[in-house]
Amino acid sequence: MADKSPRIKPGSSKINDSAADGSHRVPSGDSPPSALPHRPDPLPSLFLPDPVTTAQITNPRPSVELFAINEVAGVASPTSFADYRVPARKNLGEVDAQGVREFKHRQYVAVSDDHFVQVVRDAESGLFRATVARELKASGPLMEPDAEGRYWHPIASGSPLDRGDAPSGLARSVDERLATLFPTMAQDARTSIHRERLTGDPLLAVARLEAQHFTLVKDLGAWTGQVPSRHPVTGLPLTNTEIAAQTASRERFAQELQDNWSRKATSANPYTPSTLDYDLDVLGSLPRLSADFSHVRELSLTSTAPLEASAFLASFPGVRYLTLSGFALKSFPAEVYQMRELVTLTLDNCDIRLSEASVEGLAHIEQLTLLDLSNNPLGLSPDLRFMRRLDSLYLSDTGLNEVPVGLFESESLAFADLRNNEIAHLPDELFEVPDVRQVNFNFRNNPLDEATLQRVSVYMEAAGLDRKVLIQVDGEGQMQPQIAAFEGEDSGVESS
C-alpha cells in the first residue's frame, strides 16, 4: 500500500508518526502529544482512534501488528475541529511574526489559552491549514488569526469541520469583515473592493486580506524594535536616549503605514490614502513589506539620515509619482522598473551611481514626464532618446561631463537643469534646435570651453524676435535668465 508508515521495532518506547508533509519523525519525550501518547491518561478522541490502539500502547505486539494500526490511523481524518486541538505546552517555541510557533519542525497556532492546533501552509491559498500529526495530507480547515493576532480560528466555508466549532464572529458577512479591515472606507469603496479583488471564493479572498493585515502589523512590530546600536555613518554607539527616540520614530511611521493600508486619513496625509507623503527621521533601513500597497499613487519620502529603502519600494507597484530625497540607495532601485504607471521620478540626493544596466533600464521608462536625479554622483548620463513625453529634466550637481544622449531630440522637453557639473563641450545638436521651440537649457556653472561659449553667443544673437529657446551659460553678454515658473504636464499631485 502507498504511503505506509515506517515499521516500529517491538518493545520501542517511542511510536513513529507521520507529519502532514509526508515526512516521518520520531518525537522526543518532551514533544507535544502525538497520535499515540506515552501514558494512558485520558485524552481527546484524536489521540485514541480505537481501543486496540490503547492496547498496543500498554502491551506492545509484534511490529507487523503495530504497522497495521498506524496504517489505519494514517488514513483516518478527524470529524470535528475539536479533534485538531492539542493541549498547550510551554515549550512550543517563540511566536514568530505571523503568530506561529515551531517545534520539532512542526508549526502550531494558539486557539485558546489551553490549546494549540498544528498547521501547515496550504499550497493553493497560501494560508495555514489545520492538521494532525498522523495525517499524510492536511484535512483541516484554513485558519486565520483574530484581530489582535492572539488566537486563531477556522475560516468559515460551510465545511462540517467549521460549523458549530468556529466562533460566532465567523458568521459575519464579507462586507462586515471588510469594514473591520477598512473602518473609515465608504460603503461604495468597500463594494468596489468586494467586486474587483474578492474574486473566486469571497470568504477565502477576504481571509487573505485579513492574513495580509496581520502579517503587516507583525512585520512592522518587528522592524520597530530593530534600531541599530550604532550610527550607520559615524559608527558611534547610540545612547539610550537616541535609541528611544529612534524607536518612537519607527513606531510613528509604522502606524502611518498601517493606517494607509487600511485607507485611513492621517495627520500627515489628511486628504486621500492614495498619497503617502512622510518626512522620516529613521536610521538603518525601511521595513521590507509583504503587504500590498498598490492603491498608493503618490509616494513621497524625505529622510534626514542616509536611509536604505530599495526593498521597501517593491510593495508600491501602482505609484505614478515617486519622490525620494536623502536616502542611501547607492544604485538605481530596480523596484522602480515594476512601477508600470510611473510618470514622474525624483530621486534627489540618494547617493545613486548609474551602471550601464541601470542606464538601459531607466531609458525604457518611456512614459516619464519628469526625471530628477539631482545631487547624485551618477557617473554615467541617462539615455533620454525613448522618453518622448519628457517635459522636465533635473540633473544638477551630478558630476556629469557630457550631456545626456537624446537631450536635444525631445520636442516635449521644456526645461533641462544641468547646472554645477563638469561639462566642457556642448554638441552640434544643441545649435540645430529651432529657436521657436519653447525650451530652457541651463548650463550655468559648467567649465564650458571658449569655442562652445562663442557658438552659444552666435546662436542667440542670430535668433529671431519671436524666439522662445533659452540657453543659459556663464559669461558676459548672456541673456538675463528670467525663467517663468514652470509646471509640467504632471505636477506630481494626484487628484482625489
Side-chain angles (χ1 to χ4, degrees):
M1 181 180 296
D3 299 327
K4 291 183 179 180
S5 301
R7 294 179 181 269
I8 304 173
K9 295 180 181 179
S12 172
S13 61
K14 297 180 180 179
I15 307 299
N16 283 12
D17 61 346
S18 302
D21 59 2
S23 59
H24 302 282
R25 307 181 181 91
V26 180
S28 62
D30 60 350
S31 64
S34 60
L36 298 178
H38 295 288
R39 60 181 186 270
D41 297 338
L43 291 174
S45 59
L46 167 63
F47 304 109
L48 297 178
D50 51 52
V52 178
T53 304
T54 305
Q56 294 296 335
I57 297 171
T58 56
N59 300 300
R61 300 286 181 88
S63 59
V64 64
E65 295 183 17
L66 285 174
F67 174 80
I69 293 169
N70 280 347
E71 183 179 14
V72 173
V75 297
S77 296
T79 58
S80 72
F81 182 68
D83 292 339
Y84 289 92
R85 304 197 307 172
V86 297
R89 298 288 297 268
K90 295 182 179 180
N91 58 347
L92 285 183
E94 296 295 328
V95 63
D96 66 13
Q98 294 180 294
V100 179
R101 300 171 185 266
E102 184 169 331
F103 182 80
K104 299 292 185 179
H105 305 292
R106 293 176 181 169
Q107 295 176 301
Y108 297 86
V109 295
V111 294
S112 70
D113 284 335
D114 302 321
H115 290 88
F116 283 79
V117 166
Q118 184 181 340
V119 293
V120 295
R121 182 75 71 174
D122 181 70
E124 180 179 354
S125 66
L127 304 177
F128 285 101
R129 185 179 293 280
T131 187
V132 293
R134 70 179 186 227
E135 288 188 313
L136 299 179
K137 182 178 181 181
S139 64
L142 294 171
M143 303 286 291
E144 65 176 353
D146 59 22
E148 297 179 355
R150 184 176 182 185
Y151 299 124
W152 290 60
H153 49 239
I155 298 172
S157 64
S159 166
L161 288 171
D162 300 342
R163 293 196 299 265
D165 294 302
S168 58
L170 289 178
R172 295 178 303 158
S173 68
V174 168
D175 186 67
E176 289 174 326
R177 293 166 72 176
L178 285 175
T180 300
L181 290 171
F182 310 109
T184 61
M185 181 181 286
Q187 176 62 46
D188 58 345
R190 287 203 304 271
T191 301
S192 177
I193 286 183
H194 193 166
R195 181 178 62 253
E196 297 173 5
R197 300 189 60 181
L198 305 188
T199 57
D201 183 348
L203 289 170
L204 184 58
V206 76
R208 291 194 186 100
L209 285 176
E210 291 167 335
Q212 184 181 138
H213 179 256
F214 175 77
T215 301
L216 173 65
V217 173
K218 289 289 185 181
D219 288 346
L220 291 174
W223 173 75
T224 298
Q226 295 170 350
V227 176
S229 59
R230 293 180 175 274
H231 194 285
V233 176
T234 66
L236 296 175
L238 300 182
T239 65
N240 290 337
T241 300
E242 291 172 328
I243 291 176
Q246 280 293 305
T247 300
S249 293
R250 289 187 175 219
E251 288 175 347
R252 288 191 293 270
F253 186 55
Q255 188 61 55
E256 186 76 21
L257 290 173
Q258 291 177 46
D259 290 343
N260 181 274
W261 188 92
S262 295
R263 315 305 197 268
K264 296 179 182 178
T266 67
S267 57
N269 296 279
Y271 303 114
T272 170
S274 66
T275 295
L276 179 56
D277 188 345
Y278 201 86
D279 293 332
L280 290 154
D281 183 17
V282 174
L283 298 177
S285 62
L286 288 183
R288 182 184 296 270
L289 303 175
S290 59
D292 178 21
F293 284 83
S294 58
H295 64 281
V296 174
R297 295 298 188 221
E298 180 180 358
L299 178 61
S300 180
L301 302 176
T302 301
S303 176
T304 59
L307 188 64
E308 298 176 16
S310 184
F312 175 83
L313 299 177
S315 291
F316 298 85
V319 166
R320 288 175 57 83
Y321 313 102
L322 176 62
T323 298
L324 298 181
S325 180
F327 286 79
L329 300 183
K330 304 299 182 183
S331 60
F332 188 84
E335 289 77 8
V336 171
Y337 302 139
Q338 304 305 316
M339 299 176 180
R340 303 298 185 185
E341 301 179 56
L342 192 66
V343 292
T344 72
L345 174 60
T346 298
L347 301 174
D348 174 54
N349 189 27
C350 290
D351 198 23
I352 293 175
R353 293 167 176 80
L354 294 179
S355 65
E356 292 184 1
S358 58
V359 167
E360 181 177 357
L362 176 59
H364 287 87
I365 308 180
E366 301 176 10
Q367 69 276 18
L368 285 182
T369 61
L370 181 149
L371 175 62
D372 184 353
L373 299 177
S374 302
N375 303 298
N376 290 289
L378 296 181
L380 299 177
S381 297
D383 186 342
L384 310 178
R385 287 175 295 177
F386 305 104
M387 299 181 187
R388 299 302 184 188
R389 296 184 58 199
L390 192 65
D391 186 276
S392 306
L393 177 68
Y394 299 87
L395 295 174
S396 64
D397 296 280
T398 53
L400 297 181
N401 55 23
E402 62 181 5
V403 299
V405 176
L407 175 64
F408 307 114
E409 298 177 12
S410 175
E411 296 183 359
S412 63
L413 187 66
F415 182 73
D417 180 7
L418 286 97
R419 293 170 300 140
N420 308 323
N421 285 305
E422 301 299 324
I423 301 171
H425 176 74
L426 297 178
D428 294 341
E429 290 81 2
L430 168 61
F431 306 104
E432 296 173 2
V433 174
D435 59 9
V436 293
R437 259 187 58 189
Q438 188 166 343
V439 56
N440 179 355
F441 298 107
N442 191 337
F443 296 108
R444 287 187 174 276
N445 200 21
N446 277 278
L448 296 173
D449 57 38
E450 289 299 325
T452 296
L453 291 174
Q454 181 64 29
R455 291 192 70 182
V456 171
S457 179
V458 170
Y459 175 86
M460 295 302 295
E461 290 176 0
L465 295 177
D466 59 346
R467 60 156 179 78
K468 296 179 180 179
V469 67
L470 177 61
I471 304 175
Q472 296 187 71
V473 296
D474 298 319
E476 297 181 1
Q478 300 303 317
M479 296 183 55
Q480 294 296 322
Q482 300 294 330
I483 307 172
F486 173 77
E487 291 187 2
E489 178 183 342
D490 290 285
S491 64
V493 179
E494 177 77 8
S495 60
S496 57

